Amino acid sequence: FGVRNAAGQDYDVPNQRVTNYGEIAGNSVYFSAAGAYEENDATITSCPKDFDVLVDRGAITVAGNDIQLPISGRGYLRVLYNDERVRIFSSPRDSPD
């Protein structure tokens, strides 16, 4: 189709929320999953740093119309490096069903 699809994460740090997204047909069709995150250990102030993520919603968006998906559950995130422009992370363990 000649469409360049983007994927990534959008972090709302003050509200401790994250949205993962991935385009399927450019910004006309894309999926998203969102939830709250919290740090595992507040005493750790440098990378790597672990977070729990609680996904509470998901959707496929087609031409601006959201189709809600039954997505929810707990996940994990390890931040290996971050600065103003780059984040490197991994999932250190499987998410529970």
Side-chain angles (χ1 to χ4, degrees), residues 4-64:
R4 210 161 175 207
N5 294 316
Q9 299 80 37
D10 181 22
Y11 287 88
D12 177 354
V13 176
N15 293 309
Q16 290 190 283
R17 302 270 311 162
V18 61
T19 300
N20 289 326
Y21 61 88
E23 294 178 345
I24 299 167
N27 62 6
S28 295
V29 181
Y30 61 92
F31 67 88
S32 61
Y37 66 88
E38 63 182 20
E39 58 190 330
N40 285 352
D41 185 344
T43 64
I44 297 174
T45 59
S46 61
C47 293
K49 187 162 180 70
D50 292 339
F51 295 84
D52 288 323
V53 180
L54 184 57
V55 176
D56 55 26
R57 66 180 178 86
I60 293 179
T61 302
V62 179

